[in-house]
């Protein structure tokens, strides 16, 4: 296993309504290396193996250059994690404060020291249900999971998942940075005037965002394949976020379908008295509506909703975007 620091996880601390600058920030990373994987709405993975040799600088030094350029050119601060691979770089970035690069120590001993004592839930790809199952059997830290017999893990989570879990808990990461461009997407954000605890206000913000996404896409004759929800929490730094994505049953710009998907993702977060600072929705996998297919349901309620939506769009086009809004938002 190569334990040299070769990967950066760069999280751009974007102020509200700054998501449109992400493609420019991805292009900035491309000035250092073509091995850049965009992770909307606010992050990217960067493989700096070639850049280390070309610039004759270590990964942490390259991270400092990236931060300075992002701040100077776009006014955007970064929190960066550095590690031997994408998994460890992500984990390092989780504890990185704004303006700081947090690096996993190089060498097998350094990786083991970094992972020791960490809760199993910090491992990327481990969901709440899997973490709960492991904790019920006393495997609550990565150190314990890494030392557990492979057969035990496979009985608990399955053959393939158990093998991957055993490797990741010991710092073995087989994932790679997959170069791509910033995804074609449309995003809206709804910041709250103060830290908001009321779930009903969270849902109203999601309804408003989904309505705006639908109107914007229908106005450009587009549909999306994926919807991503990002919730920004109030904490010491003000930049803690959690993101969920859902692939839609069919490409759509139908506001009701977007709203339903946003509500389902919100419910899976299980927010309990969470102080939410902002929510945002991003429609991804954008494509022309004329190439999309719609499964006929013979549901009169669905067909009626779509006809009403068409009429409402014509009214908004004539009288302005606020001419017709859902009753919940009007109240």
């Amino acid at each position: 296993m190569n334990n040299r620091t070769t990967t950066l996880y760069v999280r751009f601390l974007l102020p509200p309504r700054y998501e449109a600058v992400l493609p420019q920030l991805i292009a900035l990373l491309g000035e250092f290396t073509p091995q850049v994987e965009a992770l909307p709405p606010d992050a990217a993975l960067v493989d700096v193996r070639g850049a280390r040799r070309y610039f004759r600088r270590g990964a942490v030094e390259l991270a400092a250059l990236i931060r300075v350029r992002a701040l100077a050119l776009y006014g955007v601060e970064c929190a960066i994690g550095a590690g031997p691979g994408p998994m460890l770089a992500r984990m390092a970035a989780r504890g990185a404060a704004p303006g700081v690069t947090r690096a996993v120590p190089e060498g097998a001993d350094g990786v083991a020291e970094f992972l020791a004592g960490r809760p199993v839930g910090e491992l990327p790809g481990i969901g709440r249900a899997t973490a709960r199952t492991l904790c019920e059997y006393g495997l609550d830290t990565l150190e314990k999971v890494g030392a557990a017999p492979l057969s035990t893990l496979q009985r608990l989570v399955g053959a393939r998942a158990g093998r991957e879990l055993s490797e990741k808990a010991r710092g073995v990461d087989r994932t790679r940075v997959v170069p791509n461009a910033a995804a074609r997407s449309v995003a809206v954000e709804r910041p709250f005037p103060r830290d908001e605890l009321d779930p009903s206000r969270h849902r109203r913000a999601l309804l408003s965002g989904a309505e705006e996404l639908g109107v914007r896409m229908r106005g450009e004759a587009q549909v999306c394949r994926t919807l991503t929800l990002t919730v920004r929490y109030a904490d010491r730094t003000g930049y803690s976020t959690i993101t969920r994505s859902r692939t839609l049953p069919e490409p759509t710009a139908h506001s009701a379908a977007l709203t339903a998907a946003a509500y389902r993702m919100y419910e899976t977060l299980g927010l309990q008295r969470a102080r939410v600072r902002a929510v945002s929705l991003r429609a991804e996998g954008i494509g022309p509506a004329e190439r999309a297919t719609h499964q006929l349901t013979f549901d009169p309620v669905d067909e009626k909703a779509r006809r009403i939506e068409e009429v409402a769009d014509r009214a908004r086009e004539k009288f302005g975007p606020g001419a017709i809004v859902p009753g919940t938002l009007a109240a």
Side-chain angles (χ1 to χ4, degrees), residues 209-264:
E211 282 287 326
E212 181 179 336
L213 280 181
V215 171
R216 288 170 60 180
M217 287 192 290
R218 292 194 301 274
E220 298 178 3
Q222 295 177 326
V223 292
C224 69
R225 295 182 176 274
T226 304
L227 189 67
T228 297
L229 165 66
T230 301
V231 179
R232 191 187 305 274
Y233 295 99
D235 64 357
R236 181 174 59 84
T237 66
Y239 290 108
S240 293
T241 62
I242 187 169
T243 301
R244 293 287 184 272
S245 292
R246 181 179 292 269
T247 300
L248 303 170
E250 63 183 20
T252 186
H254 185 32
S255 293
L258 297 173
T259 302
Y263 283 170
R264 285 195 293 270

Side-chain angles (χ1 to χ4, degrees), residues 115-285:
L115 294 174
R118 290 184 177 275
V120 68
E122 287 193 14
L123 198 65
I126 298 297
R128 292 184 180 181
T130 300
R132 185 165 53 248
T133 299
L134 293 169
C135 290
E136 288 173 354
Y137 287 86
L139 302 174
D140 56 347
T141 67
L142 295 180
E143 192 173 14
K144 293 178 181 178
V145 172
L150 176 59
S151 58
T152 299
L153 297 177
Q154 290 179 325
R155 282 197 300 271
L156 293 177
V157 300
R160 180 177 178 181
R163 187 180 305 107
E164 292 180 353
L165 177 61
S166 178
E167 290 183 346
K168 289 181 177 180
R170 290 180 282 112
V172 178
D173 182 14
R174 301 190 185 279
T175 61
R176 296 290 182 268
V177 175
V178 181
N180 63 0
R184 177 83 169 90
S185 61
V186 179
V188 297
E189 185 167 29
R190 293 293 184 267
F192 295 105
R194 57 180 178 274
D195 299 340
E196 187 58 68
L197 288 83
D198 187 352
S200 65
R201 292 185 180 273
H202 300 165
R203 291 173 66 89
R204 285 184 63 186
L206 294 175
L207 172 60
S208 171
E211 282 287 326
E212 181 179 336
L213 280 181
V215 171
R216 288 170 60 180
M217 287 192 290
R218 292 194 301 274
E220 298 178 3
Q222 295 177 326
V223 292
C224 69
R225 295 182 176 274
T226 304
L227 189 67
T228 297
L229 165 66
T230 301
V231 179
R232 191 187 305 274
Y233 295 99
D235 64 357
R236 181 174 59 84
T237 66
Y239 290 108
S240 293
T241 62
I242 187 169
T243 301
R244 293 287 184 272
S245 292
R246 181 179 292 269
T247 300
L248 303 170
E250 63 183 20
T252 186
H254 185 32
S255 293
L258 297 173
T259 302
Y263 283 170
R264 285 195 293 270
M265 287 187 287
Y266 172 81
E267 290 164 1
T268 63
L269 297 178
L271 301 181
Q272 298 294 330
R273 303 292 295 172
R275 296 164 55 223
V276 175
R277 184 158 294 176
V279 297
S280 63
L281 290 172
R282 176 181 289 271
E284 300 177 308

